Amino acid sequence: ELVLKVRIQNPNLRENDFIEIELDRQELTYQELLRVSCRELGVNPEHVQKIRKLPNTMLRKDKDVARLQDFQELELVLAVSDKNSLFRAPAPSERSGYNKKASELTY
């Protein structure tokens, strides 16, 4: 088995820990990596835009996956549309610099 560390790429999360996944060395394909990663992280594979090997390398094909070594860190980069947001945007009152009194002023 090949053990990899995987997480969802999201700079807005305070804690964004990696999880460890295992892949059968006989089935080291991009599709298998995508399938196992999404199952373990609870993500729909259709929402994954790309898989990044940290710090800055995009995985594109089976040969890229075959070169991975134990405990390498990967991120799933999600494609998020306005209609299908996977992460909740902060309410105006949660944004820094928001002034509730100023928002209630009338002229």
Side-chain angles (χ1 to χ4, degrees):
E1 289 186 338
L2 174 68
V3 179
L4 300 169
K5 296 167 63 174
V6 182
R7 71 179 179 187
I8 297 171
Q9 185 268 335
N10 185 356
N12 298 326
L13 291 178
R14 182 173 277 176
E15 290 186 30
N16 194 13
D17 296 331
F18 288 93
I19 63 166
E20 292 182 355
I21 64 167
E22 296 86 24
L23 292 177
D24 185 339
R25 288 189 187 270
Q26 304 304 315
E27 297 180 29
L28 287 181
T29 64
Y30 184 89
Q31 284 302 334
E32 183 65 6
L33 172 62
L34 180 64
R35 185 188 69 77
V36 172
S37 298
C38 288
R39 185 188 71 221
E40 293 288 332
L41 291 168
V43 174
N44 185 334
E46 294 175 5
H47 294 148
V48 177
Q49 182 178 16
K50 61 184 171 184
I51 301 175
R52 178 185 298 133
K53 180 176 77 171
L54 294 178
N56 58 4
T57 304
M58 184 173 68
L59 299 179
R60 301 172 296 138
K61 54 191 175 189
D62 294 348
K63 283 186 177 184
D64 297 342
V65 175
R67 285 191 290 268
L68 293 174
Q69 297 176 3
D70 277 328
F71 302 104
Q72 283 196 294
E73 296 178 347
L74 306 176
E75 283 184 333
L76 299 184
V77 179
L78 303 181
V80 180
S81 67
D82 292 337
K83 296 178 199 171
N84 193 15
S85 180
L86 299 174
F87 298 102
R88 183 181 68 84
S93 60
E94 296 172 339
R95 292 185 194 135
S96 61
Y98 178 78
N99 185 334
K100 184 171 172 42
K101 284 189 176 186
S103 69
E104 295 172 351
L105 291 176
T106 55
Y107 295 95

